[in-house]
Amino acid sequence: MYVSCPRYIKVNTKMNKLLNEINKTRIKIYYNLNELTDITGLKTRALKYRMSEVKKKYTYIPHLLRKEGRSWKIHYTLIIEFMPKYSSNTKTIYNENWISTSTWNPKNNYSIDYHVQLVYEVKSQLPEHKIAYTIETDKRGVHHVHLMSTAQTIDLANAVEIVLGRYLDIKKECMIQTTKIYNKYSLFEYLKKASLGGAILQ
């Protein structure tokens, strides 16, 4: 079954713009406090309050948190410390409830459009959930996909295997790995290193 992308999927353009801004830069290791506004959805005042707690906790770990001049350098692994404790009305790619992640890497090379179509078909299997994806090229020059979902790990795994199984012998022609997300902020930093493009589908 071939799923027409525009017919079934509503793309949130605001979220896509944010994702593209994230993807267009190389991996960012340190953030200033004011850069966390868009990431967390929190106001500057709330972030400063949270900072007072974080600096007590990490004051003796300078590779994670240090002050340069009047600005704090906050390691990306500490972003989780600044996230809202309750659900925020301001949704960003960072504070979305991403639960699972999947990667597929085929034996043979297929076009970017081919992989995008597969992602849309996976999304059609999970209509109540959001998916964010990026497409990269491995050392062989073969395109592969990383995606995140708000679906449970087992549901995402089933959706990916159903879709890829329509076109490939997934035991011989494609490596698939689907797992629970344990640190989504580290995952974001990894994914944005070499992305050829991506989007958020909801």
Side-chain angles (χ1 to χ4, degrees):
M1 181 181 71
Y2 186 86
V3 178
S4 173
C5 304
R7 181 179 173 186
Y8 289 95
I9 308 299
K10 178 183 177 183
V11 178
N12 184 321
T13 54
K14 186 175 181 182
M15 293 289 274
N16 285 346
K17 183 178 178 184
L18 179 59
L19 182 65
N20 288 333
E21 287 173 2
I22 290 170
N23 280 333
K24 73 183 179 183
T25 59
R26 287 182 172 272
I27 185 167
K28 185 172 177 66
I29 303 297
Y30 291 97
Y31 290 81
N32 295 326
L33 192 63
N34 61 1
E35 292 178 299
L36 299 185
T37 303
D38 289 337
I39 293 173
T40 63
L42 293 178
K43 303 291 185 184
T44 303
R45 187 175 183 179
L47 287 170
K48 286 181 178 178
Y49 177 78
R50 193 69 61 84
M51 186 72 221
S52 65
E53 299 174 348
V54 173
K55 67 183 180 183
K56 290 176 186 176
K57 190 173 179 180
Y58 295 95
T59 189
Y60 298 110
I61 313 178
H63 70 280
L64 293 181
L65 182 69
R66 66 178 185 272
K67 201 165 189 181
E68 291 185 1
R70 300 181 64 182
S71 298
W72 286 98
K73 296 296 182 184
I74 303 161
H75 195 268
Y76 71 87
T77 57
L78 296 188
I79 291 175
I80 193 170
E81 300 279 2
F82 293 88
M83 297 306 294
K85 294 179 180 178
Y86 306 100
S87 180
S88 172
N89 292 329
T90 305
K91 283 296 182 183
T92 74
I93 187 175
Y94 287 92
N95 66 18
E96 188 59 68
N97 186 31
W98 303 113
I99 294 173
S100 54
T101 180
S102 188
T103 297
W104 66 74
N105 197 339
K107 182 177 180 180
N108 300 311
N109 200 15
Y110 298 93
S111 70
I112 292 174
D113 288 344
Y114 179 87
H115 285 291
V116 170
Q117 177 62 35
L118 293 177
V119 172
Y120 275 82
E121 292 191 32
V122 170
K123 176 65 179 81
S124 73
Q125 295 285 320
L126 302 166
E128 303 301 318
H129 294 283
K130 295 180 182 178
I131 284 180
Y133 72 92
T134 62
I135 299 173
E136 299 179 359
T137 303
D138 66 18
K139 293 179 180 179
R140 300 172 298 149
V142 173
H143 297 125
H144 62 279
V145 173
H146 298 284
L147 61 81
M148 303 178 298
S149 174
T150 57
Q152 294 299 318
T153 306
I154 186 65
D155 296 328
L156 178 60
N158 288 339
V160 169
E161 290 181 13
I162 287 170
V163 170
L164 270 65
R166 292 172 182 159
Y167 310 105
L168 301 169
D169 182 339
I170 58 177
K171 291 184 178 179
K172 297 179 180 179
E173 299 180 287
C174 191
M175 184 206 75
I176 303 172
Q177 183 177 25
T178 305
T179 62
K180 179 179 177 181
I181 294 175
Y182 293 98
N183 188 332
K184 60 184 177 182
Y185 314 107
S186 296
L187 178 61
F188 294 152
E189 294 303 324
Y190 170 77
L191 293 182
K192 77 185 187 184
K193 288 188 302 180
S195 174
L196 300 176
I200 296 177
L201 314 181
Q202 60 178 13

